[in-house]
Amino acid sequence: MQCNKYAPAIIVGKLPLKHIQIVQAPSDSEYFNQLLPAIQGASKERQGQQLLSSLSRYSADREAEIERICNSNHQGFVASVNQLLHVRDGAVDLASDILSLNQSIQASTEKLAEQKKALVESRAVRQNIDEATQALQDCLEVLRLANQVHDLLSRKSHYSALRALDELQNVHLKEVTHYKIADLIQKSVPATKKLIADAVMADLNTWLFRIRETSQFLGEMAFYHTEQRRTRQKDRAETSPYLTNFKLNSAIELVSDEADEFDVLDNDDVQVDFTPLFECLHIHNALGQTEKFRAQYAATRRQQKELLLPASITLNDDEGTTLNELLEGISGFAIVERVTIRKAPDLRSPADVDELWDSMCQQAIALVSKALHEVTNAELLLKIKGIIALFIETMDSWDYPVSSLDGFLLRLFEKYAELLKRRFSDDFQEIVSTDDYMPMPINKLDEYDKVVNVSWYTPDKPRNEIRFPCVLPFSQMYPLCCIDIRNFLNQFYFFSNDHFQHPKVIDETLKASLDELLSNSVCRLLVERLNSQYLGQIVQILINLEHFEVACQELEPLLAAARSTASVGAGVSLNATDAFRSNKKTAEKRIFELVNSKIDDLIGTAEYDWMAPTLEREPSSYMQTLTRYLSNIMNSVLLGLPTEIKELIYFDALSHAATMILSLPLASDVKQINPNGVAALAKDVQYLTEFVDTLGNPILRENLDELQQTIALMQSDNADEFYDISTRNKKYGRVDALQGPHLLEKLTHSVQTPASVRSDKFQTLSSRFGMKS
């Protein structure tokens, strides 16, 4: 029985209400629409029995409807089945006919298939023969190319061999990949490439070895070219002074020198071919090994750099051969590196080249510094500086940084200055210690001209009025020191020639060194010699100090004019000028001491008889000796001194003599002075006054005023005038207020006889030795 798809979703049997099964309907709305009347009815009735009865009736109605529908469609279904069975029988008959037809066709084509098979087999044989022939030709071509690669490699055609190998691998081998020979040749390709790479590297190593051997010669050629440029620049500067402001490698110098360009790597003496390097780089690039080649090449150049630098050098050879060879080798090596980076920028980076250059510079500086202690000669050190300066200017033209080398030149200059100072200090000390300290005699005009030209000295007379032999005021040490000073200045500035970037350091060091030499090696030694007891030597030292002071004053503007533009604006003041000036005073004091000491000695020989019984007719011998001494030193020893210094010495000497003479009657052992004693003293003072008058300087006479007034007081008949202030100021104004009364107390107006004098002397001796009369 067929069931309608729309059968009720709830089937209610004759079961108790609690056993009723509710099956989900096709839709909730349909279910509730059907159930709603029954539920509503149940809700109106009182009991659930009514709901159950309604559901049972509804179920029965639905079952009856389903049965009716199934009964009405049964006949149609049976008819359809019969029709299908009939169709099936017809299909079976048709299949039998088709099989029969197929057997017939198959039988007819068997003969044709046999003939076709025979034809196909004959064509296959012919095709195999053709393919075998072509394969043989392809393999022979591959073998020919493989042999050609090795033949090119043996002829050192490395790049052609690589191209042939590349063609063999990428073109011809692809045509015979299904043959065993292709596998064999393909396996040999890496080995062949390695052979090519090794061969080209062998050629490159040979080239690098030749480059290392020629590096020093390249550097020598570069140095020679720089020297030529220096010469041409000096010639241009002589023609046009404006060009002196431009150094080597400046833009102006480079433009001016364009007409004389010189290729260090390609000239009549040397030719450097970079073809092996380019070929090696190109082949490694083609092999995809560029980075490996760059690393290998860099390592090789580093090794060559280490072989280029020796373990030590010597600087004591006069020609500087060892240092020249070292710097020429470094120069040639660096030039090749710079050209390499310009021609093959992919091979060498600027950082690698600069690193190598800096390393070579530092090692070279270390080698020179290590050997620098051997150098004790300033001229040799100047040659060393010249070689390094030439190296700096050469490498600066190749755009290499040279700041470290410039800094090393500063260290060389410090040692150079120290050597110069030490040498000239020894020279000055020898000159000062061996001088005779006598005015310098000149016998010929040419000698006179030489001395005047080298010394800072202005003669008192014109040159044509000089009569020979003559004597110059200074001693021989002064012109000799002047010569050394000029040489010292010149040799100091020699260091700034060619190339030196620190001119201000030269200016300051020169000033300090010259100051130290003049102050310590000249002035100090002269001052030490002031301890001499020889007045003539002291006077000559004073004269020399005077001329050295003038020399220093003349040197100051010369040093200022010679200073570089970096130091312009500041004047030059030498401390030695003040040292010589101040020590002139020391020398003057020493002269005063010696002269006054001699005066003390002479006055110490005075033998006045203060109670003389008779009047002396002649001046005392000590006074005659004293005036003769003063006259002699004025006309001989002090003759070369400036007039003002001579007058000062005389003034001080006379003042000291007057004081010492005045102290004679004031001595404590002088108890009494009679008129004869005063007369003797007055005669000596008069003799001294007359001598001073002969000197022609009224000022000197003033030194004797106190002495003269004191004598006048002692000879005065009215001594009480001294105690009258107004009179004393007029007649005895220079007499000391305490010494005058003291002398007056010692005066006695009586002259004793010789017997009484002897008695007084006996009493004096008795009292001195404690004897009783």
Side-chain angles (χ1 to χ4, degrees), residues 294-295 298 302 333 337 341 346-359 400:
R294 288 181 61 184
R302 281 194 294 271
F333 185 93
E337 286 293 294
I341 198 175
D346 294 336
L347 175 61
R348 303 288 282 156
S349 68
D352 292 338
V353 175
D354 289 342
E355 182 183 357
L356 272 181
W357 164 252
D358 185 65
S359 174
Y400 277 105

Side-chain angles (χ1 to χ4, degrees), residues 27 66 88 117 142 329 394 411 467 617 619 641 671 698 704:
S27 66
I66 290 170
R88 181 171 177 270
K117 181 178 180 182
V142 168
T394 301
R411 290 167 53 191
R467 297 293 178 266
R617 301 295 180 181
L641 288 177
K671 304 300 183 180
L704 305 179

Side-chain angles (χ1 to χ4, degrees), residues 7-62:
I10 301 176
I11 301 174
V12 181
K14 294 179 181 181
L15 294 173
L17 181 61
K18 63 182 180 180
H19 296 294
I20 294 176
Q21 294 182 355
I22 300 176
V23 181
Q24 186 175 1
S27 66
D28 293 339
S29 61
E30 182 180 354
Y31 169 75
F32 281 110
N33 287 337
Q34 294 173 358
L35 187 59
L36 186 57
I39 294 174
Q40 290 176 350
S43 62
K44 291 179 181 180
E45 297 176 359
R46 298 185 304 270
Q47 299 295 334
Q49 289 296 331
Q50 294 176 357
L51 177 58
L52 184 60
S53 175
S54 297
L55 291 175
S56 297
R57 286 196 301 272
Y58 180 76
S59 176
D61 291 342
R62 299 307 293 175

Side-chain angles (χ1 to χ4, degrees), residues 223 319-320 323-324 327 383-392:
F223 283 12
E319 299 300 325
L323 180 60
N324 250 327
L327 298 183
K383 290 181 180 179
I384 294 171
K385 180 264 174 183
I387 296 172
I388 296 177
L390 181 63
F391 173 63
I392 291 174

Side-chain angles (χ1 to χ4, degrees), residues 375-502:
V375 181
T376 57
N377 188 318
E379 282 73 17
L380 178 58
L381 193 63
L382 196 61
K383 290 181 180 179
I384 294 171
K385 180 264 174 183
I387 296 172
I388 296 177
L390 181 63
F391 173 63
I392 291 174
E393 289 178 337
T394 301
M395 302 318 297
D396 188 30
S397 65
W398 286 93
D399 298 329
Y400 277 105
V402 293
S403 57
S404 60
L405 295 170
D406 281 334
F408 181 65
L409 284 185
L410 191 58
R411 290 167 53 191
L412 283 183
F413 172 70
E414 292 173 355
K415 183 173 180 62
Y416 178 74
E418 185 63 31
L419 290 177
L420 277 184
K421 188 167 63 174
R422 188 184 309 164
R423 192 187 79 188
F424 279 94
S425 176
D426 295 341
D427 289 348
F428 283 136
Q429 291 181 17
E430 183 178 359
I431 291 171
V432 173
S433 60
T434 58
D435 191 48
D436 57 2
Y437 293 97
M438 297 290 290
M440 185 176 182
I442 301 294
N443 298 318
K444 299 179 182 179
L445 181 61
D446 56 345
E447 293 180 5
Y448 175 82
D449 291 336
K450 290 179 181 178
V451 172
V452 172
N453 289 332
V454 300
S455 305
W456 286 278
Y457 170 63
T458 303
D460 297 333
K461 298 179 181 180
R463 180 174 178 272
N464 55 0
E465 296 181 7
I466 302 296
R467 297 293 178 266
F468 298 98
C470 66
V471 177
L472 297 180
F474 42 77
S475 64
Q476 190 176 1
M477 66 160 290
Y478 177 67
L480 292 177
C481 287
C482 289
I483 293 173
D484 267 7
I485 290 171
R486 293 181 186 274
N487 290 335
F488 184 72
L489 297 179
N490 292 333
Q491 293 192 34
F492 236 88
Y493 281 112
F494 282 162
F495 202 90
S496 62
N497 292 342
D498 299 330
H499 178 86
F500 190 68
Q501 299 297 327
H502 312 279

Side-chain angles (χ1 to χ4, degrees), residues 721-733:
E721 292 179 344
F722 182 76
Y723 300 102
D724 185 354
I725 297 178
S726 61
T727 305
R728 184 177 66 186
N729 290 336
K730 291 179 181 180
K731 297 178 65 174
Y732 312 110

Side-chain angles (χ1 to χ4, degrees), residues 641-656:
L641 288 177
T643 304
E644 61 274 10
I645 296 180
K646 287 192 294 185
E647 292 179 350
L648 183 62
I649 292 175
Y650 244 78
F651 189 88
D652 183 78
L654 292 173
S655 176
H656 183 72

